Amino acid sequence: MARNGTYYLGRVIKTGALETEHIKSALRSSESFTTYGSSWTFLDVEELSDGSATYFFGRLVKYDPDAEVTVVDPEARREVRQREPNMTIASSPFVYIPDHQGLAFLHVAGQISYETFMSRWSSVVNASHFQILSNCSVEAVSDIESFTKKVKALDNIYFISSTVSPPNPMFGPLWENLKNYLVSRKTDRMKIEEDGAPAQPINTELAQHMERMLVDEEASSPLSETLPIGDAAILMAVDGYGKGVIRGKRGDKIVTIKTSETTMNFTFPRDPDPFGLYKKAAGVFEEIKSQRHMRHS
């Protein structure tokens, strides 16, 4: 019986002159990236199609370029150390879906956490595309219901911080104006930080705005209003186009909530069939698109 694992969802963010074709090229012919004594690269990458859309399946591999292993020397009746360069430490299968700029990838406990995967996947892409003044990053797609529940539990909000980038190819109607502003300013990344005055909470209806992202599609007409920039940026980060932090109080306790802590995930075999993983991930991204009323630019 196949063992299941937890797969997380992320968005691929492109800044500078980076294009989707550069990411595809990096997947087809990847370089290695080394940090803290471990190297990372992509292996077994396949470019596939479901008949209407292309997708990439592969594995992010962590390996030790200077590994040593202990082996038995039967004649000497002792253990000896010998070099085993480029020994695999762990690998995480993933699927990249350009139509959603989406990634689904396996969390490998103790070796490749979902935060580590997002960082190392983008680092391998950046080491491979050779585009000057260009950068790839991966941001988590938050489970909006879990995130909204945490925000609603706060009595007051005293601090809001977001770092966001213009989306491609889709956007959410509640933060459309912020997206248009970033595009018009030719801004690749914007950081927004709001800190309430001492003992004074920020005047925000963030929880209510987030609840409205979950309304039925038939009731989607109110989603076109302009939101305060700080609230819009958090919603943008929740959809995977940045990262956000909220700090508030619940009773006498100070609570910090991060968009990355409620990353959407699903269960699937740890050794997946490429098409099966793609269909599962594409279905989840389509559900996010529909549920959050996202539209193509």
Side-chain angles (χ1 to χ4, degrees):
M1 185 175 181
R3 291 193 306 145
N4 287 336
T6 302
Y7 287 76
Y8 287 85
L9 299 185
R11 299 264 191 206
V12 178
I13 307 298
K14 309 185 297 289
T15 56
L18 193 66
E19 301 289 344
T20 300
E21 285 305 315
H22 299 141
I23 295 174
K24 292 179 178 180
S25 178
L27 288 166
R28 295 182 188 115
S29 181
S30 63
E31 299 290 329
S32 293
F33 167 79
T34 301
T35 182
Y36 296 109
S38 296
S39 294
W40 303 77
T41 194
F42 302 139
L43 294 182
D44 304 324
V45 175
E46 300 176 73
E47 185 173 358
L48 304 167
S49 173
D50 67 356
S52 59
T54 61
Y55 62 96
F56 288 76
F57 174 85
R59 293 186 293 134
L60 173 68
V61 176
K62 177 183 180 181
Y63 65 97
D64 186 344
D66 301 308
E68 290 186 346
V69 296
T70 300
V71 297
V72 173
D73 182 341
E75 294 183 1
R77 293 187 173 276
R78 64 188 180 91
E79 291 182 330
V80 295
R81 299 283 291 177
Q82 70 179 37
R83 293 193 70 245
E84 192 65 46
N86 302 324
M87 184 178 70
T88 299
I89 300 172
S91 68
S92 171
F94 68 84
V95 63
Y96 166 59
I97 307 174
D99 281 356
H100 292 276
Q101 286 304 326
L103 272 173
F105 50 90
L106 176 67
H107 167 87
V108 182
Q111 291 293 347
I112 310 177
S113 68
Y114 70 91
E115 299 100 331
T116 299
F117 181 99
M118 293 188 290
S119 172
R120 302 296 184 256
W121 194 92
S122 56
S123 292
V124 173
V125 169
N126 288 329
S128 305
H129 61 64
F130 305 115
Q131 298 301 310
I132 299 173
L133 301 179
S134 300
N135 189 65
C136 165
S137 61
V138 179
E139 301 291 355
V141 179
S142 297
D143 181 333
I144 191 170
E145 293 186 19
S146 298
F147 192 79
T148 300
K149 184 177 180 180
K150 289 187 176 186
V151 174
K152 283 184 65 179
L154 298 176
D155 299 321
N156 290 296
I157 294 174
Y158 293 87
F159 176 82
I160 297 176
S161 176
S162 301
T163 302
V164 294
S165 296
N168 185 3
M170 288 180 292
F171 66 90
L174 277 175
W175 44 266
E176 179 179 5
N177 287 307
L178 176 56
K179 182 267 294 185
N180 290 338
Y181 173 79
L182 295 174
V183 171
S184 69
R185 300 277 288 184
K186 294 181 170 55
T187 301
D188 267 343
R189 181 169 281 115
M190 171 184 279
K191 182 172 183 178
I192 301 165
E193 188 170 293
E194 299 180 282
D195 207 344
Q200 291 294 319
I202 295 173
N203 181 20
T204 176
E205 297 181 349
L206 179 59
Q208 293 90 321
H209 297 319
M210 293 177 66
E211 282 192 308
R212 291 169 60 194
M213 291 178 72
L214 298 172
V215 298
D216 293 337
E217 191 167 2
E218 292 77 10
S220 63
S221 57
L223 295 179
S224 59
E225 71 173 84
T226 300
L227 298 188
I229 187 171
D231 293 355
I234 286 290
L235 298 185
M236 195 171 179
V238 166
D239 282 337
Y241 297 104
K243 59 186 67 175
V245 177
I246 296 169
R247 190 173 302 121
K249 278 189 175 183
R250 185 171 62 241
D252 294 329
K253 184 178 180 181
I254 296 175
V255 178
T256 298
I257 305 169
K258 299 179 181 179
T259 53
S260 60
E261 293 173 341
T262 54
T263 306
M264 291 196 69
N265 60 79
F266 59 85
T267 301
F268 205 75
R270 297 176 63 85
D271 185 15
D273 166 66
F275 183 69
L277 179 60
Y278 161 71
K279 291 296 290 182
K280 176 66 176 180
V284 176
F285 277 114
E286 285 293 336
E287 184 178 345
I288 292 170
K289 177 183 174 182
S290 174
Q291 182 188 56
R292 305 185 190 186
H293 316 287
M294 301 183 77
R295 302 193 289 266
H296 276 268
S297 300

